[in-house]
């Protein structure tokens, strides 16, 4: 999904609009600042980089009576003067109304579905961030391991940040140019059936997300466990780089064991290892490797005394390592196979997350449209006669914008809230918890931000 967004005010940014051609769009949207047509080819990504991205989207609905239309025109002029928000029409097709009782029930179901859908979007986004952040951390780790100290943490996470910023721009652009998907959500179906389609879609994705996340986590944990053992302490680390074939004696009757001895126990080991069995070859112990923790010693003995030797060594708090070149080679091959498998699963999982995140977001916007339609019919009555507007503002301007909207549309219900409530509450489906004179639903795009 890649769509270019038109900014709501072309004349406000002359340096960015030079040389662009004006075109008439299907929705005939005009710039509220200069009342000219939107610019067709304005690059939304460049504007985002230059101006920053507003974070609040409000989907409002007002009736098409004369007073409300006048208020909408006043709203446009106010926005032009105050620069509180950008605004565009939000196109919702004619849908089946049904009977009043069923509409009330559907409205309640849509509210619950809105909460569920937003939670699935948040879970998917969080999962995508966690998986891709771990991959970026690995890029940094590998670079530093290879001596590339020029790559810092910011550079390492830039692919993730770039993707999430790009995703946010595309989805915000989708909202401003929203068109109902009649193939996926046929307008001939009743509202309850459309809600069922979205419910099924969201529920299936939530179930699959849990399944795929658990499967990927299992693959990742399994590999991490093997890697920890291979590069952990002397008791668990791989001995491939420590032991050479000439260090081991293997014959019909003799074998060599490898024993981990702590630093403070070297003298005890030298004095006692020959007493662990009468079949230990005298003075056969050799120190093969040493680190800050201790050392790895070899000792040669008869095969029939191995069990006895292990018991006595354990009693003296020495650790006998099971080792053979064939076993180490097998374990190394298994680690490589699991590493390849994890990379494959990572690619599959990330692709699935990207595709399905966009799909569930699109379903969410259709759900918002359903809610606006149902609430408009319930609030403004029949015949269906309303207009939906998408307002795009930010946290700093939202309180003032709310006050302006309350003043402009107070005639719809004089008893409604005067909007002194802070609009920063994160309540799914609503801009604020109080009743408003006009219909308003918040589209929370803050969940798309990379904090």
């Amino acid at each position: 999904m890649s769509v270019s967004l038109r900014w709501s005010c072309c004349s406000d940014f002359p340096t960015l609009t030079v040389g662009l051609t004006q075109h008439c769009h299907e929705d005939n949207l005009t710039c509220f600042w200069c009342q000219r047509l939107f610019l067709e080819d304005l690059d939304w990504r460049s504007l985002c980089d230059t101006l920053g991205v507003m974070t609040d989207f409000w989907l409002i609905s007002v009736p098409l009576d004369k007073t409300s239309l006048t208020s909408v025109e006043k709203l446009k002029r106010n926005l032009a003067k105050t620069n509180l928000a950008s605004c565009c029409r939000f196109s919702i097709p004619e849908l089946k109304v049904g009977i009043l009782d069923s509409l009330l029930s559907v409205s309640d179901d849509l509210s619950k579905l809105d909460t569920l859908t937003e939670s699935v979007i948040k879970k998917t986004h969080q999962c995508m961030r966690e998986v891709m952040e771990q991959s970026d951390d690995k890029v940094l780790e590998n670079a530093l391991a290879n001596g590339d100290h020029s790559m810092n943490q910011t550079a390492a996470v830039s692919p993730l940040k770039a993707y999430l910023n790009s995703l946010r721009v595309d989805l915000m652009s989708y909202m401003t140019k929203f068109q109902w998907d009649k193939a996926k959500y046929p307008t001939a179906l009743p509202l309850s059936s459309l809600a069922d389609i979205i419910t099924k879609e969201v529920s299936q994705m939530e179930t699959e997300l849990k399944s795929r996340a658990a499967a990927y986590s299992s693959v990742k944990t399994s590999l991490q466990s093997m890697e920890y053992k291979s590069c952990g302490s002397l008791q668990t680390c791989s001995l491939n780089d420590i032991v050479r074939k000439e260090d081991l004696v293997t014959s019909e009757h003799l074998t060599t064991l490898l024993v981990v001895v702590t630093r403070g126990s070297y003298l005890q080991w030298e004095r006692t290892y020959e007493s662990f069995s009468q079949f230990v070859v005298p003075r056969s112990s050799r120190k093969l490797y040493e680190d800050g923790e201790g050392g790895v010693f070899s000792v040669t003995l008869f095969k029939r005394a191995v069990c006895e030797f292990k018991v006595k060594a354990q009693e003296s708090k020495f650790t006998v390592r099971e080792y053979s070149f064939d076993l180490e080679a097998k374990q190394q091959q298994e680690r490589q196979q699991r590493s390849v498998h994890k990379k494959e699963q990572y690619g599959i999982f990330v692709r699935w997350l990207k595709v399905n995140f966009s799909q569930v977001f699109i379903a969410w916007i259709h759900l918002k449209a359903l809610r606006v339609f149902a609430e408009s019919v319930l609030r403004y009555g029949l015949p269906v006669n309303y207009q939906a507007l998408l307002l795009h503002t930010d946290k700093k301007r939202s309180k003032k914008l709310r006050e302006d909207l309350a003043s402009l549309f107070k005639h719809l219900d004089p008893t409604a809230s005067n909007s002194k409530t802070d609009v920063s509450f994160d309540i799914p489906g609503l801009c604020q918890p109080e009743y408003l004179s006009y219909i308003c639903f918040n589209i929370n795009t803050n969940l798309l931000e990379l904090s």
Side-chain angles (χ1 to χ4, degrees), residues 296-308:
V296 177
F297 290 77
S298 65
V299 60
T300 303
L301 67 160
F302 282 82
K303 289 181 179 179
R304 65 193 221 178
V306 168
C307 291
E308 178 188 4

Side-chain angles (χ1 to χ4, degrees), residues 2 52 58 73 84 121 141 146 164 171 245 302 358 373 377:
S2 180
W58 298 348
E73 293 305 315
L84 287 177
I121 289 174
E141 180 184 326
N146 293 329
L164 292 180
L171 294 180
K245 287 191 176 181
F302 282 82
S358 296
F373 177 84
V377 174

